[in-house]
Amino acid sequence: MRPQPDFIHEFVPGKSERTLLLLHGTGGNERDLIPLGHELDPNAALLSPRGKVLENRMPRFFRRLAEGVFDLEDLKNRTHELADFVAAAAKHYKIDIKHIIAVGYSNGANIAASLLLLRPEILSAAILFRAMVPLIPETEPDLDSVRVWIGAGSNDPIVPASETKELAELLRGAGANVTIRFFQAGHDLTQQDVEAARKWLKG
Ligand code: MLT
């Protein structure tokens, strides 16, 4: 029996109470971030779903109208669908729902941020690589006990620095403890990002 509601996914059991929810970028799949998950925390369980939306056959987690312009109705529905999947998977795999940390890259970071804003009960922390402001929620979530690390590229052609800062402020305004780091990089993930996120996760 697979967890319901369903996503194609990989699950790797861990040796600690922590689970990393791995959320790939546009064109990725459920296998992409498994090595990254092991690198960030070799003892954590890994839950890695594949986004259900196809854009020119490239999987994503929600629809967009253009680069950086999101279909907000779809984003909201997909965020709730993903949150329900994580809750069902937690029961199914006997994951501790209080220790789920999202690790998202690009489109995956954007839906992770949307999870924080719309379904804050699902995540205890989040690592967001190259994230944007996904939406402004109608009601402010309670992120008081949530830690967030944001890794941005100072030459990112997709995410301007002002948007990264706006996201940090939005999350801080809801009570999250946010760490923001800028790297000499573009939209691609770098080893410096991974190293800094790994240290933050340990601390
Ligand atoms: C998005 O659609 O989430 C952003 O534009 C990032 C991406 O290119 O996937």
Side-chain angles (χ1 to χ4, degrees):
M1 274 266 290
R2 298 171 68 92
Q4 298 292 328
D6 207 0
F7 274 71
I8 295 170
H9 66 278
E10 294 258 319
F11 177 70
V12 181
K15 297 189 206 89
S16 75
E17 60 190 7
R18 178 183 280 171
T19 298
L20 302 183
L21 172 65
L22 304 176
L23 301 165
H24 63 76
T26 302
N29 65 40
E30 69 282 7
R31 293 182 300 276
D32 271 15
L33 300 188
I34 299 286
L36 172 67
H38 284 310
E39 201 173 337
L40 289 172
D41 183 348
N43 292 320
L46 307 177
L47 177 63
S48 186
R50 183 193 300 184
K52 286 186 183 182
V53 170
L54 289 179
E55 183 186 275
N56 301 323
R57 285 188 278 172
M58 295 190 295
R60 291 174 48 84
F61 286 96
F62 57 89
R63 276 167 44 94
R64 63 179 164 183
L65 308 173
E67 192 167 274
V69 184
F70 304 146
D71 177 335
L72 292 180
E73 259 330 285
D74 189 63
L75 171 56
K76 283 180 203 159
N77 292 336
R78 301 275 174 195
T79 300
H80 288 296
E81 183 185 40
L82 181 61
D84 293 344
F85 163 72
V86 174
K91 272 204 190 120
H92 183 80
Y93 293 119
K94 303 192 173 26
I95 291 169
D96 184 345
I97 191 86
K98 290 197 198 71
H99 294 98
I100 299 178
I101 299 177
V103 176
Y105 167 66
S106 190
N107 180 248
N110 292 342
I111 197 146
S114 185
L115 277 174
L116 287 170
L117 295 168
L118 297 181
R119 295 290 294 272
E121 77 280 10
I122 294 292
L123 300 174
S124 64
I127 293 176
L128 308 176
F129 297 112
R130 309 298 184 267
M132 305 172 76
V133 176
L135 49 76
I136 305 292
E138 278 163 32
T139 49
E140 192 171 81
D142 177 0
L143 294 174
D144 266 354
S145 52
V146 177
R147 292 170 73 223
V148 181
W149 184 94
I150 300 175
S154 42
N155 307 312
D156 189 333
I158 298 176
V159 189
S162 56
E163 177 141 9
T164 307
K165 289 179 191 155
E166 201 186 315
L167 175 62
E169 287 319 306
L170 183 61
L171 297 169
R172 278 187 189 128
N177 177 344
V178 181
T179 300
I180 176 168
R181 289 284 310 270
F182 278 90
F183 299 94
Q184 284 299 329
H187 197 64
D188 287 348
L189 190 57
T190 68
Q191 197 51 40
Q192 279 174 299
D193 282 82
V194 178
E195 197 42 37
R198 193 180 64 76
K199 284 200 182 120
W200 175 85
L201 198 52
K202 259 189 159 179

